[in-house]
Structures are given as structure tokens and as C-alpha cells.
Amino acid sequence: MEQYAIKGGNPLVGEVEIGGAKNAALAILAASIMTDETVLIENMPDIRDTNVMMHAIESIGGSVEKLDRHTVKISGKSVRNMAIEDDSVKKIRASYYFLGAMLGKYKRAQVTLPGGCNIGLRPIDQHIKGFRALGADVRIEHGLVIAEAAHLHGSHIYMDVSSVGATIDVMMAAVMADGQTIIENAAKEPHVVDVANFLNSLGAVIKGAGTDVIRIRGVRRLHGTEYAIIPDQIEAGTFMFAAAVTKGDVTVKNVIPKHLESISAKLNEIGCEVEESDDAVRVVAAKPLTHTHVKTLPYPGFPTDMQPQITVALGLSRGTSIVTESVFENRFKYVDELTRMGASIKVEGGNTAIIDGVNRYTGASVSAPDLRAGAALVIAALSAEGISVIDDIKFIERGYEDFHIKLKSLGAQIEKVDSERELQKFRLKTG
Ligand code: EPZ
């Protein structure tokens, strides 16, 4: 089983290119089959989850052609099968985007109930509520979500929670419905806006994405497009916090600084210098980190997907910090692993972590419980004294392209090892 072997202590220094946004790419891939014409997508991240989505498109008869590692040509023209039952799709959350895309275009969809990171209940009741409001019959049978409609009509839908997935899914289902759809209490994340922009480039008429009221005027059909996905704000934020934790000096390139504002603000608060330019942000951690409080919120609040990373940084910050997770019910599972590295954190009521900063982490063998927690444990290991081994790195590779290679380019002592012998070699090499 592949693992990361890490020798901590090196400050991360240098520049790193940020890839396309995973959570935009997954939805855009599903949406790309809504037209029979060819769609060219650039800045596609080459990660496990996007490749699972591409296999799923091929499994229903769509065509996928990779022009290079980050550019893909998709055509939904030859889609015949409305049932996505590809086994690997069960493991990812974004499979539900095929519901909105196929219901929107074919008025019928059958998709296995979504999987994804084990960070909470993760229901899809708001997706189903939106589809039903548009006139679809939706039922769950044998682990499948089946949605069908003789006709889809516009509707005024009020989301009970600000849900990224439900906002995007309902938006896709509505783009070819008859009449106008209004989505109230819509999610405002940059990837929601990116998907709306993509759909508009296919000929949809969507206004208000990025605010909490999105208006969609149904059109009869969609045409082809060429589109480049926005940079990944969470990949960028992960490297920014890696700079903070290793007392480094890292510039993340090919980013949209506006999307990183809440992350930059918190890094400033804990004592880092943050310099923004047009498409890059530099983080210098010259002083000891200091404590703060943070609560995860829907955009533009501090992202839940950055919660494990800031907790690792606060674990090394002088004083007592509090991190409150307000989006998911069970997103502190990794704290047990971090404790093995010497962190002093108490989780109360399931969604509040009280953190007493320690001077340093020590290397340990830990397992990644999910994607972002796994990345956070890597960051902790990069600062720890001694050698750490990170297990279950498949979770990390679902969402981070070339994670260990990019870290190595910044000076980290990290290798991907696949056997005890390779691990021993790493231990000998790094002493
Ligand atoms: C997306 O998940 C992302 N995943 C998550 O990123 C991210 O953490 C999350 O949005 C919040 O930003 C993808 O885009 C593939 P939600 P999603 O619907 O759509 C509740 C990562 O690390 N809810 O915005 O599942 C839900 O339980 C992953 O990249 C309902 O109650 O998140 C949660 O408490 C992890 N009913 C809250 O809303 C619903 O029908 C926000 O969930 C849907 C959601």
C-alpha cells in the first residue's frame, strides 16, 4: 500500500503552480454531456476523482479524449445509457452531478447514491427537493437515485441550507426547463460561479451566481464550448498553510487572490506576512505563530475544506485557539492522529476544537481519514521532528495532483514509498 515517508524540519521555500479547481472540474465534467456538441476543457486537474468522472462518462457512451494531461475533449452526443453504475463512482461525492446533468438534458437519470469523504451525514435531500420542484419524480431504490420527468418547468426554490452540491445540481437540471427558475439561499463558492459560467458558455442563461439568488431562464438546447477551469482555492490554501507551519516562504502561482481572502486574513492574524499580486500570493512565516479563533462558514467565510490545515497551524501557535466547524458534523476525526504527533487538542460537542499550542510536533505513523485531513497531516509531518509515515494516501490523491512532487520542489523531504524496503531506504537516506 503506498504511503508518504516524510522527514520534517525543512522550511518550504519557493514557488508552486496551482492546478484547476477540483470542485469546479467535477461538476463541469458532468455538465459537459448536456450538449451533443464537442466541449474542450482546459486546466483540468489530473486527480483520481476527475478520472473517475471521465470513466463514468465513457461508461454511458460519452466520448472523452485527453489532448494532454490538463486538456480534455468531451462529447455527450453518443450517450445512450442513463444509468451511472460504474463501481468507482460509488466512492466519490460528485457522482450526484450526473443526476442534474442527465435530468436536465434527457429528463431521466439513474445514479448510485454518492460516497465521498466521511466527514458527516452528507444527505442529498436538497438536491431531491430541487429536482421535484422542477417537476421530476425522484425515488431511491436499491442504493440508486432515480429521477425522471415528462417535462421540466421553472420553479422558485428556497434551499434550506447553503449547499454547494445542491445549488450546482439544481442549476444544471434547470438550464433547459421551460421558463424561469429562481434558487434562493444558493451557495456562493467560486466553483459554483465557475460552473454557472461554464453552463452560460454552453448557451445557458444564468444570472446571479456568486450571490444567494440565482436566476435561470430555460433554453431549448446547449452548444459546444472551450472553457478553462478556475484555479483551486483549497489547493492554494493548503500550500499557504504549509508555508506557515514550516516557517517557510512560499508563493502560490496561478491563483485568484480574491478567492483566498479569508485564508490570507487568517494567516495574517496568526503572524504571517501575506503579499498579493495579480495571480499569485506569497506567504512568509518569519515570526512564531500566534493563536486565534476561527469558525468555518460557507463562502466568503473561512472554508470548511481548510479547517484541518488551520488546526495543524494553530496546534503550533502560542496560546489557546478555538476552531469551530459549522458546516459538517464530523470533521475532527483526524485530531486523534494529530495527537499522536504531540498536538494538544480537545474536541468538544463534536464541532469545537480547543487547541493549546505546543512547541513542536514529533514524527509518527498516522493515517489519512479523508482528503483534506490527510493533506493537513502531511503538513504537520513536514514540521515535525523526525520521520513520519502517512498511510491511506489514496484519499489525498483524490484531490491533490502531484502533491508530494510539488512539496519536494519546495524543499520538503518526502517520498512516496510502496514497501517496507523503500521506507527503510528513506530512513537511511535521511538519517
Ligand atoms: C462540496 O461538498 C465539496 N465537494 C466539499 O469538498 C466541500 O467541503 C463542501 O462542498 C462545502 O464547501 C465537492 O464539491 C465534490 P454541501 P457537498 O452540499 O456539495 C448539508 C473536499 O474536500 N446538506 O455544500 O457535499 C451537508 O450535510 C470536499 O473537496 C444537506 O443537508 O457540500 C453539509 O452539512 C469535502 N442536504 C452542508 O449542507 C443536502 O441535500 C454543506 O454541504 C446537501 C447538503
Side-chain angles (χ1 to χ4, degrees), residues 22-24 26-27 49 92-97 116-117 119-128 159-168 187 189 191 232 234 297-299 303-305 326-329 331 370-372 398-400:
K22 166 178 86 79
N23 292 343
L26 296 170
D49 280 13
I92 69 170
R93 177 87 184 147
S95 53
Y96 53 39
Y97 288 137
C117 291
I119 52 179
L121 295 171
R122 310 195 79 182
I124 60 166
D125 59 301
Q126 298 300 302
H127 302 238
I128 292 171
M159 292 293 181
D160 300 338
V161 290
S162 164
S163 158
V164 166
T167 301
I168 292 174
E189 272 70 6
H191 28 295
D232 194 313
I234 306 301
L297 287 167
Y299 192 81
T304 175
D305 291 348
S326 80
V327 177
F328 289 106
E329 307 86 12
R331 197 164 198 172
D370 61 68
L371 163 59
R372 305 301 176 187
R398 286 188 48 195
Y400 289 92

Side-chain angles (χ1 to χ4, degrees), residues 74-146:
I74 303 233
S75 166
K77 187 162 185 241
S78 44
V79 166
R80 291 288 168 272
N81 173 6
M82 301 307 135
I84 300 253
E85 287 159 311
D86 182 287
D87 249 358
S88 48
V89 124
K90 277 196 188 99
K91 298 190 187 71
I92 69 170
R93 177 87 184 147
S95 53
Y96 53 39
Y97 288 137
F98 285 114
L99 284 170
M102 291 164 77
L103 183 63
K105 179 181 181 186
Y106 303 105
K107 310 293 184 282
R108 169 158 172 69
Q110 181 173 306
V111 181
T112 50
L113 270 168
C117 291
N118 181 10
I119 52 179
L121 295 171
R122 310 195 79 182
I124 60 166
D125 59 301
Q126 298 300 302
H127 302 238
I128 292 171
K129 168 181 176 173
F131 298 151
R132 285 178 173 153
L134 295 170
D137 168 59
V138 186
R139 57 191 191 282
I140 293 179
E141 288 170 359
H142 312 298
L144 297 171
V145 184
I146 300 160

